[in-house]
Amino acid sequence: MAVLDPGVVVRSDVGADGVGAPALVRGAEAVARQAMMFAPFARSSQPALVDGEPAVIATREGRRFAVMVFTVVRGKVAEMSVINDPAHLPGPDLTVLND
């Protein structure tokens, strides 16, 4: 929770298959609880940049299934956008950092 701004906001879409987290989560404690649900995917995640912003790509069986883009303000994550729908995953504006 040390990296989260107390007023952090997470916005997420619902994946094409109807699976996804709630559309809006507010507050560091609630965001940290939600993040724990996705901990199993950490091993297959890769750091990236989307339009120059820090991001994480989550993969399953070698395919991207979610991208999380972070807005950092004064060294804390102030906002996260979670993209679950494959039709909306970033393409050319995405740079994988440890490929």
Side-chain angles (χ1 to χ4, degrees), residues 18-37:
V19 176
L24 184 66
V25 179
R26 294 181 186 271
E29 191 172 312
V31 169
R33 272 195 311 271
Q34 183 186 35
M36 294 307 296
M37 292 187 314

Side-chain angles (χ1 to χ4, degrees), residues 34-52:
Q34 183 186 35
M36 294 307 296
M37 292 187 314
F38 298 99
F41 300 109
R43 287 189 192 113
S44 64
S45 297
Q46 298 175 289
L49 295 174
V50 174
D51 293 330

Side-chain angles (χ1 to χ4, degrees), residues 9 12 38-39 41 43 51 61-62 74 76 81 94 96-97:
V9 175
S12 61
F38 298 99
F41 300 109
R43 287 189 192 113
D51 293 330
E61 298 173 3
R74 291 183 294 281
K76 302 266 186 179
S81 296
L94 182 137
V96 178
L97 298 178

Side-chain angles (χ1 to χ4, degrees), residues 36-82:
M36 294 307 296
M37 292 187 314
F38 298 99
F41 300 109
R43 287 189 192 113
S44 64
S45 297
Q46 298 175 289
L49 295 174
V50 174
D51 293 330
E53 296 290 330
V56 172
I57 303 167
T59 60
R60 183 177 4 185
E61 298 173 3
R63 299 181 68 196
R64 290 182 203 154
F65 75 90
V67 175
M68 294 155 273
V69 183
F70 304 92
T71 300
V72 179
V73 177
R74 291 183 294 281
K76 302 266 186 179
V77 176
E79 188 172 325
M80 278 178 55
S81 296
V82 182

